[in-house]
Amino acid sequence: MMSSSSSILLCLVFSLFLSISPSTARTPGKPSRPQALVLAVTKDPSTSQYLTTIRQRTPLRPVKLTVDVGGKALWVACDRSEYISSTYKPALCGSPQCRLAKSKSCDDCWDGPRPGCNNETCSNVVYNTVEKSGQIGEVATDVLALQSTDGSNPGRLVRVPNFLFSCGSLFLGEKLANGAKGIAGFGRTETSLPSLLSRALGVRKKFAICLSSSVGVAFLGDGPYVLLPSVTVSDRLIYTPLLTNPVSTVRPIIEKFPDYTWPSMEYFIGVESIKVNTKTVPVSQALLKFNAKGNGGTKISTVEPYTVLHTSIYNAITKAFVKAISKVPRVNPVPPFGTCYKASSLGSTRLGPGVPAIELVLQNNVTWMIFGANSMVYLNNSEVACLAFVDGGKKPRTSIVLGGHQLQDNLVEFDVEGSRLGFSSTLLGRQTTCGNFNFTTKV
Ligand SMILES: *[C@@H]1O[C@H](CO)[C@@H](O)[C@H](O)[C@H]1NC(C)=O
Ligand SMILES: *[C@@H]1O[C@H](CO)[C@@H](O)[C@H](O)[C@H]1NC(C)=O
Ligand SMILES: *[C@@H]1O[C@H](CO)[C@@H](O)[C@H](O)[C@H]1NC(C)=O
Ligand SMILES: *[C@@H]1O[C@H](CO)[C@@H](O)[C@H](O)[C@H]1NC(C)=O
């Protein structure tokens, strides 16, 4: 029999060994946690959607998706020939997956069994935010794989075995870009990509997007965020609070599913005033805040290609802008834009066409500067440059929807845990662009 002192010694030696072993002898199949994951985000020229590719299923295959920062969850097309996987698991009624998806429904399907069509499974609403349509889809899990990152390059592939998503059908995807098989939702929900990856891998519940007119990048988890040539963009972000709109903004409303009773899944910030050419333009303060119905305020969208403004804000900005460069002759507007110039008469600067800056003064007294590259869009073979804002009418749900063109070459960090939004302002001023992530894998 072992004496108690020698067994204590043995325990000590053993625990010493245990505490050393993880760093010296890493167990295969149990690699260290990644600090962040990375995705390439490509702009589709014909739809102006921002697309990313994840790997899913067994065997793993690439799945192209439209990125929606305010989207509820991941949904992919599970149509008959689309979805083949040996690890697809439908969420059985009452399972933890159904609870996570906040689905109380329990359905049967007559056309199966197959992915998207099984008996006694829960389902929820799959939103096509591009088309503003919705559909009921089976809740399920499958393997998902993304590349980790140290902030500078992609690293090893990280697999998440039972990643929650919903099945949609492609007839719903009519307005999605060519080749897109669903939507990757990054919104303020428990089922969005950032939330599920944080839950599965322990990465921070935050993400950053850096949209480009070609190939941009998204990071999920902690920084640094580094772009060539060695610019650590995460070092100099400016922060403003992220706001929660207490009233849902989802469309369509489907009575049986209570998503429309939740707070909005989208990310809002507080614009307090707007300046054009350094002068404050007259804008109704009421439109900049949420009213009791959740109307008003400012949100960030990757689904709207251009910023959409309440008519009165659109008119105020346009009027001040036109006045500031009244000497430059205007040309016929190219719809949907209302203010256009001959491109060559504006001249060009490092920050795009030489036009007066538009400033969004945000909560915390920080300013989001919009220079020519983000305020103007070149059309007609670059002969024409138009003010890249769209009139959203007199009764839009949200007064300011900051869209893709205004976000390009500006790294925007959604720190959900810290409840703040960080932005870099145009990277063109720092000699880099969102197209400058080094996608060469470094393991
Ligand atoms: C669901 O159950 C019914 C019988 O209740 C059966 O006819 C049908 O084939 C089942 N569907 C699937 C997908 O298993
Ligand atoms: C731009 O192109 C469209 C169609 O090609 C044409 O109708 C329009 O007149 C052009 N606009 C300008 C200002 O050149
Ligand atoms: C906000 O910032 C500007 C310049 O950065 C400064 O002039 C102004 O006094 C500040 N306002 C407040 C309320 O802090
Ligand atoms: C991109 O990263 C790879 C791997 O670390 C490196 O070899 C290469 O030099 C980098 N490219 C540039 C342009 O720095």
Side-chain angles (χ1 to χ4, degrees):
M1 218 183 161
M2 213 184 267
S3 77
S4 68
S5 67
S6 74
S7 82
I8 285 170
L9 190 72
L10 206 81
C11 270
L12 250 167
V13 169
F14 192 64
S15 67
L16 245 165
F17 172 75
L18 268 182
S19 66
I20 291 167
S21 64
S23 51
T24 50
R26 214 166 254 160
T27 328
K30 277 222 158 182
S32 62
R33 282 177 171 181
Q35 69 182 26
L37 303 150
V38 68
L39 288 167
V41 179
T42 306
K43 187 172 188 176
D44 175 60
S46 62
T47 59
S48 293
Q49 287 168 36
Y50 297 92
L51 306 177
T52 193
T53 299
I54 55 154
R55 278 174 262 192
Q56 197 202 29
R57 310 169 203 181
T58 304
L60 280 180
R61 58 163 284 183
V63 183
K64 199 193 271 189
L65 303 162
T66 296
V67 172
D68 178 7
V69 279
K72 175 176 137 184
L74 168 67
W75 74 259
V76 307
C78 291
D79 300 278
R80 218 172 248 291
S81 55
E82 286 290 339
Y83 203 107
I84 297 157
S85 174
S86 62
T87 43
Y88 178 92
K89 295 191 199 95
L92 297 178
C93 300
S95 64
Q97 287 75 27
C98 297
R99 281 200 294 280
L100 185 58
K102 293 192 188 164
S103 172
K104 294 198 176 83
S105 78
C106 187
D107 304 303
D108 283 350
C109 184
W110 305 97
D111 188 27
R114 60 175 173 84
C117 181
N118 292 281
N119 276 351
E120 289 174 50
T121 58
C122 63
S123 49
N124 65 7
V125 188
V126 164
Y127 295 96
N128 182 337
T129 37
V130 173
E131 201 168 66
K132 296 184 176 66
S133 66
Q135 189 192 335
I136 311 301
E138 183 168 275
V139 177
T141 62
D142 207 336
V143 175
L144 183 90
L146 296 178
Q147 275 187 296
S148 60
T149 183
D150 61 357
S152 302
N153 294 79
R156 69 185 167 81
L157 198 62
V158 177
R159 281 169 192 257
V160 183
N162 296 299
F163 196 90
L164 189 86
F165 70 103
S166 297
C167 272
S169 175
L170 263 193
F171 82 78
L172 186 123
E174 277 163 9
K175 280 195 185 167
L176 295 183
N178 193 17
K181 304 289 189 194
I183 289 187
F186 286 66
R188 229 178 227 283
T189 60
E190 289 305 308
T191 52
S192 67
L193 265 86
S195 294
L196 292 177
L197 290 170
S198 169
R199 183 184 268 261
L201 302 171
V203 296
R204 260 181 81 89
K205 203 198 262 187
K206 78 184 205 186
F207 67 97
I209 53 166
C210 202
L211 300 178
S212 166
S213 56
S214 57
V215 185
V217 59
F219 301 93
L220 291 126
D222 251 326
Y225 312 131
V226 183
L227 300 173
L228 291 171
S230 294
V231 182
T232 305
V233 177
S234 38
D235 277 355
R236 280 204 261 156
L237 297 181
I238 300 164
Y239 292 96
T240 190
L242 269 178
L243 308 181
T244 304
N245 184 342
V247 184
S248 167
T249 47
V250 290
R251 287 291 180 279
I253 287 169
I254 297 176
E255 292 285 343
K256 200 179 148 208
F257 294 87
D259 307 18
Y260 66 92
T261 64
W262 311 343
S264 177
M265 303 163 187
E266 300 182 291
Y267 297 100
F268 288 82
I269 54 173
V271 170
E272 300 198 317
S273 64
I274 302 172
K275 294 179 185 177
V276 174
N277 204 23
T278 73
K279 290 188 198 71
T280 302
V281 300
V283 166
S284 148
Q285 283 299 314
L287 289 179
L288 298 178
K289 302 196 172 70
F290 307 128
N291 69 13
K293 291 178 177 162
N295 294 340
T298 301
K299 73 177 182 188
I300 313 260
S301 168
T302 51
V303 171
E304 289 295 346
Y306 299 95
T307 293
V308 184
L309 301 167
H310 183 287
T311 296
S312 71
I313 301 176
Y314 176 86
N315 287 342
I317 291 178
T318 305
K319 194 174 161 199
F321 188 90
V322 167
K323 194 176 157 207
I325 49 169
S326 57
K327 292 202 181 77
V328 183
R330 290 167 66 183
V331 298
N332 284 335
V334 182
F337 307 108
T339 305
C340 299
Y341 299 89
K342 198 171 154 199
S344 59
S345 57
L346 292 173
S348 84
T349 73
R350 197 150 53 87
L351 308 182
V355 293
I358 298 172
E359 299 171 52
L360 305 178
V361 182
L362 307 173
Q363 282 186 11
N364 276 9
N365 194 25
V366 292
T367 301
W368 181 310
M369 302 286 296
I370 304 175
F371 298 104
N374 293 108
S375 62
M376 306 301 287
V377 56
Y378 287 118
L379 297 164
N380 285 23
N381 283 325
S382 299
E383 281 173 17
V384 175
C386 299
L387 188 58
F389 294 84
V390 176
D391 183 348
K394 290 197 174 84
K395 294 207 161 161
R397 182 138 181 79
T398 301
S399 304
I400 302 177
V401 181
L402 278 173
H405 188 76
Q406 277 68 35
L407 302 174
Q408 277 175 199
D409 292 321
N410 193 333
L411 181 129
V412 184
E413 178 188 78
F414 298 77
D415 182 354
V416 184
E417 276 176 34
S419 206
R420 59 183 191 164
L421 178 125
F423 57 97
S424 65
S425 281
T426 182
L427 294 173
L428 304 179
R430 292 178 66 183
Q431 322 288 344
T432 188
T433 71
C434 286
N436 274 1
F437 185 71
N438 186 344
F439 278 105
T440 308
T441 300
K442 190 168 72 185
V443 182

